[in-house]
């Protein structure tokens, strides 16, 4: 009987203790991608209350009469009252048991046995049982003494860990990404686009890109926390054409070179109600951080390789740093996110600051009609003080640089887009997005328009559980029409230097395939390939092929 108390009963008591464990809210944030929204789950805010002591084994919904330990559990529940379950009435008998939980369970069950021995309650414990227990205690006295010593040692070690732990209110997490990539050589007809391949490209240059991030999630109150991120990045995809047309021909999701360690995130999250959350801060307040991503594998560390394949470039617009965002779950299958953010909120000079520089206002409606379907609709209004939308993909700078002043005209942009994802089966999902922007120079006639689209397939658990495969085919943002005042139109300025009205002469198509291999819970490697047709939206440029091997470590 004591053996069953130690083996089966301890598991129940230990699980009861685990159900009371407090969990800090956690937000995983990576440069170029945010997989989580700003509303933390309710289980992250308040502790989970354990289920009351069960009086019958039938109350445990995952225990069946044909289970090998059923009779032991039945005896412990109905005769000794030494079993408790989880709030959802489950027992979870196959769950692993830690040494701490074992010690806590043994202590709880022995206390119960001693209580029964003291009271000698005849209807629960027979005198024959007590005699057997006393005999077992005598025979296993050395083992019990050893167990008591180990419990004392565990208590001492626990006290030491608590005294030297990093923080009782702050959780430390992070990631390290290291990528090796190289590309084919290429000659492009980009300047002046006369059909002659006049731009040499060294190509075949193999280089290394690394990105390291540390996150501090500090609990302020049960419903709020402060999120701080530190980032250091090195290396870029190279070589590229030495012109403004194709400077963003291939940008990887983890490509973010910095001169030194920088603060990438500094924002406060507050769960106002169970349905409404607010984020405000001076760093990291951007659409990727505040808007929930309908593509469930979106991640620069473990998802697609390129920046373009993470999400619709419209949702990167403005590259916000400081501002405010809200997330409102107004229905079970519908939520609304909104944001106002500034590119240089801490610079009070002319053409910068919280309201006078590059600023972005956006709103997203996210719908989940079924468990397998995600649909997001979004609208973004952006003011770019230099005519660059800061999406870092395709055509993002939409006005030319004036040769006299060395500056380009500002733009006011309205953008709309939609993303749809369909979970066809547990191992296959399909999706697509599309986007359209229309921009104009304030106070002047004419406008410039761009479009982009992406089609993709994801294959979760491909060949092995935890792995992921993906195929992405799309068109990066392209100027389809531009009739700004003469001298400001980018496509013709590249062709002739005059900047007259007209769109891009070609269309870039990006094809990407990758396969993430999950080696452990914390380590993965991802080989992949990216192929560009007509880079720089130039029909006579050679295609470019990039091979990549990304490795990721997270904790």
């Amino acid at each position: 009987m004591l053996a069953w108390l130690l083996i089966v009963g301890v598991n129940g008591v230990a699980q009861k203790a685990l159900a009371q464990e407090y969990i800090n809210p956690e937000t995983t944030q990576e440069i170029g991608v945010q997989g989580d929204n700003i509303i933390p789950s309710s289980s992250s805010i308040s502790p989970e209350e354990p289920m009351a002591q069960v009086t019958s084994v039938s109350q445990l919904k995952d225990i069946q009469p044909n289970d090998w330990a059923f009779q032991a559990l039945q005896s412990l529940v109905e005769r000794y009252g030494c079993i408790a379950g989880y709030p959802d009435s489950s027992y979870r008998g196959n769950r692993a048991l830690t040494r701490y939980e074992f010690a806590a369970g043994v202590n709880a069950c022995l206390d119960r046995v001693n209580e029964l021995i003291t009271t000698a309650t005849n209807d629960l414990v027979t005198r024959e049982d007590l005699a057997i227990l006393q005999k077992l205690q005598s025979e296993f006295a050395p083992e019990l003494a050893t167990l008591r010593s180990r419990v004392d040692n565990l208590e001492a070690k626990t006290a030491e860990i608590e005294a030297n732990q990093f923080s009782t209110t702050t959780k430390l997490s992070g990631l390290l990404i290291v990528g090796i990539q190289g590309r084919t050589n290429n000659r492009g007809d980009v300047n002046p686009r006369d059909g002659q391949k006049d731009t040499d490209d060294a190509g075949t240059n193999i280089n290394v890109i690394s990105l390291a991030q540390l996150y501090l999630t500090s609990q302020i109150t049960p419903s709020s926390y402060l999120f701080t991120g530190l980032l250091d990045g090195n290396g870029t995809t190279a070589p590229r054409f030495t012109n403004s047309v194709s400077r963003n021909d291939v940008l990887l999701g983890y490509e973010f070179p910095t001169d030194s360690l920088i603060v990438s995130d500094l924002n406060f999250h507050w769960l106002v109600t169970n349905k409404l959350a607010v984020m405000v801060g001076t760093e990291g307040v951007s659409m990727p951080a505040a808007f929930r991503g309908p593509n469930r594998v979106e991640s620069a560390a473990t998802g697609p390789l390129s920046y373009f394949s993470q999400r619709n470039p419209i949702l990167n617009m403005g590259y916000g740093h400081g501002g405010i965002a809200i997330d409102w779950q107004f229905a079970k299958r519908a939520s609304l996110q909104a944001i106002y953010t500034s590119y240089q909120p801490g610079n009070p000079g002319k053409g910068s600051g919280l309201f006078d520089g590059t600023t972005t206002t956006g709103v997203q409606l996210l719908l989940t009609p079924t468990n397998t379907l995600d649909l997001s609709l979004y609208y973004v209004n952006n003011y770019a003080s230099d005519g660059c939308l800061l999406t870092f993909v395709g055509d993002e700078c939409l006005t030319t640089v004036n040769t006299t002043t060395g500056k380009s005209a500002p733009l006011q942009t309205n953008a709309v887009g939609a993303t749809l994802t369909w979970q066809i089966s547990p191992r296959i999902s399909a999706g697509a997005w599309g986007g359209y922007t229309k921009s104009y120079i304030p106070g002047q006639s004419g406008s410039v328009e761009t479009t982009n689209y992406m089609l993709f397939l994801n294959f979760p658990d491909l060949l092995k559980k935890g792995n992921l495969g993906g195929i992405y085919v799309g068109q990066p943002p392209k100027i389809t029409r531009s009739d700004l005042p003469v001298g400001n139109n980018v496509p013709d300025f590249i062709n002739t230097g005059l900047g007259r009205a007209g769109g891009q002469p070609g269309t870039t198509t990006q094809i990407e395939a990758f396969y993430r291999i999950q080696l452990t819970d914390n380590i993965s490697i991802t080989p992949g390939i990216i192929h560009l047709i007509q880079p720089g939206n130039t029909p006579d440029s050679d295609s470019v092929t990039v091979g990549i091997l990304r490795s990721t470590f997270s904790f």
Side-chain angles (χ1 to χ4, degrees):
M1 184 60 65
L2 180 61
W4 289 122
L5 287 172
L6 297 181
I7 297 174
V8 183
V10 167
N11 195 28
V13 175
Q15 290 190 36
K16 177 178 178 181
L18 181 70
Q20 296 174 315
E21 185 180 55
Y22 183 81
I23 303 173
N24 284 331
E26 176 182 356
T27 302
T28 303
Q29 303 198 25
E30 297 153 356
I31 196 69
V33 57
Q34 310 293 333
D36 295 338
N37 57 76
I38 63 176
I39 292 185
S41 64
S42 58
S43 62
S44 300
I45 298 300
S46 59
E48 183 182 33
E49 293 297 331
M51 191 178 77
Q53 173 66 50
V54 297
T55 58
S56 172
V57 73
S58 62
Q59 293 178 253
L60 301 171
K61 65 182 182 180
D62 56 348
I63 299 298
Q64 304 299 326
N66 58 351
D67 290 336
W68 69 272
F70 179 80
Q71 292 183 349
L73 286 169
Q74 186 178 43
S75 175
L76 291 171
V77 169
E78 298 175 1
R79 297 183 62 189
Y80 298 99
C82 200
I83 293 294
Y86 278 87
D88 60 355
S89 299
S90 64
Y91 180 67
R92 308 181 192 176
N94 291 325
R95 181 185 166 276
L97 186 69
T98 68
R99 292 168 63 90
Y100 291 116
E101 294 167 342
F102 181 78
V106 168
N107 185 66
C109 282
L110 287 179
D111 285 346
R112 177 61 176 157
V113 170
N114 288 330
E115 178 186 346
L116 294 174
I117 292 175
T118 302
T119 57
T121 307
N122 291 330
D123 58 343
L124 290 178
V125 183
T126 65
R127 295 190 179 279
E128 290 78 4
D129 287 339
L130 295 177
I132 293 173
L133 284 173
Q134 290 174 346
K135 182 179 179 180
L136 287 171
Q137 283 182 331
S138 298
E139 291 181 358
F140 291 94
E143 287 81 1
L144 291 174
T146 301
L147 182 61
R148 182 180 298 275
S149 176
R150 290 182 177 179
V151 171
D152 291 340
N153 290 335
L154 286 174
E155 290 179 349
K157 290 181 179 179
T158 301
E160 181 182 358
I161 291 173
E162 290 178 350
N164 295 280
Q165 63 183 324
F166 174 74
S167 172
T168 58
T169 59
T170 299
K171 180 175 181 179
L172 174 66
S173 59
L175 63 87
L176 173 64
I177 305 173
V178 178
I180 301 174
Q181 53 280 317
R183 50 170 279 186
T184 60
N185 55 2
N186 165 272
R187 292 193 68 195
D189 174 32
V190 294
N191 189 12
R193 293 179 177 173
D194 56 1
Q196 301 295 322
K197 296 179 180 179
D198 47 26
T199 303
D200 291 328
D201 179 18
T204 65
N205 186 21
I206 298 175
N207 62 327
V208 177
I209 295 176
S210 65
L211 179 72
Q213 286 185 281
L214 291 176
Y215 315 113
L216 298 172
T217 305
S218 303
Q219 195 80 30
I220 306 300
T221 70
S223 59
S224 65
Y225 64 95
L226 178 68
F227 185 79
T228 306
L230 302 175
L231 179 147
D232 182 65
N234 292 282
T236 60
T237 49
R240 288 197 176 100
F241 288 137
T242 54
N243 64 84
S244 61
V245 179
S246 56
R247 66 174 185 168
N248 299 320
D249 52 4
V250 176
L251 187 71
L252 300 179
Y254 50 91
E255 186 174 344
F256 193 80
T258 61
D259 295 330
S260 59
L261 187 69
I262 66 170
V263 177
S264 60
D265 296 272
L266 185 60
N267 44 72
F268 177 74
H269 296 242
W270 177 33
L271 189 63
V272 183
T273 70
N274 289 335
K275 303 296 183 181
L276 178 66
V278 175
M279 175 172 66
V280 60
T282 58
E283 287 291 344
V285 182
S286 61
M287 285 185 285
F291 288 7
R292 310 190 198 187
N295 184 5
R296 301 180 186 183
V297 305
E298 175 184 305
S299 170
T302 58
L305 293 164
S306 70
Y307 196 53
F308 176 41
S309 296
Q310 299 296 328
R311 68 191 69 83
N312 194 321
I314 287 175
L315 298 178
N316 295 326
M317 192 179 299
Y319 197 70
H321 289 267
I324 185 171
I326 65 169
D327 190 342
W328 178 31
Q329 187 77 40
F330 64 88
K332 182 178 180 180
R333 293 185 175 272
S335 65
L336 187 72
Q337 295 87 47
I339 190 172
Y340 176 84
T341 183
S342 169
Y343 180 63
Q344 292 181 312
N347 188 344
K350 184 178 180 180
S352 61
L354 187 59
F355 301 105
D356 193 30
T358 295
T359 58
T360 303
T361 303
V363 61
Q364 174 181 253
L365 175 64
L366 182 61
L367 305 173
T368 307
T370 68
N371 291 335
T372 60
L373 199 65
D374 294 316
L375 171 64
S376 67
L377 307 171
Y378 32 89
Y379 164 77
V380 178
N381 181 274
N382 171 263
Y383 176 79
S385 58
D386 61 355
C388 292
L389 304 183
L390 298 179
T391 61
F392 304 105
V393 175
D395 291 339
E396 58 144 358
C397 291
L398 307 183
T399 56
T400 62
V401 177
N402 187 293
T403 56
T404 303
T405 64
K407 298 180 179 179
S408 53
L411 281 179
Q412 189 74 48
T413 300
N414 292 288
V416 293
T419 303
L420 177 68
T421 303
W422 175 30
Q423 189 75 35
I424 301 173
S425 73
R427 295 182 180 273
I428 301 176
S429 68
W433 73 61
Y436 167 81
T437 71
K438 185 173 183 178
S439 310
Y440 62 92
I441 301 174
Q444 298 190 31
S445 62
S447 62
V448 53
E449 300 176 6
T450 74
T451 61
N452 81 86
Y453 74 85
M454 177 68 79
L455 305 172
F456 59 88
L457 288 170
N458 293 316
F459 304 94
D461 298 329
L462 182 62
L463 301 181
K464 182 182 177 182
K465 186 175 180 58
N467 293 355
L468 174 68
I471 300 174
Y472 287 64
V473 180
Q475 172 207 294
K478 168 192 171 182
I479 297 174
T480 56
R481 186 184 67 86
S482 183
D483 61 356
L484 299 171
V486 174
N488 291 281
N489 300 286
V490 171
D492 185 67
F493 185 83
I494 297 171
N495 281 337
T496 66
L498 300 177
R500 299 168 299 186
Q504 295 283 31
T507 300
T508 299
T509 301
Q510 176 174 311
I511 304 170
E512 177 176 339
F514 65 90
Y515 180 58
R516 186 192 73 214
I517 304 169
Q518 199 69 38
L519 300 179
T520 69
D521 291 341
N522 305 97
I523 301 175
S524 67
I525 59 172
T526 308
I529 190 170
I530 299 173
H531 183 69
L532 291 180
I533 301 172
Q534 295 187 17
N537 294 307
T538 306
D540 293 315
S541 287
D542 293 341
S543 296
V544 174
T545 302
V546 184
I548 304 139
L549 180 63
R550 177 187 66 194
S551 60
T552 302
F553 169 72
S554 62
F555 66 92

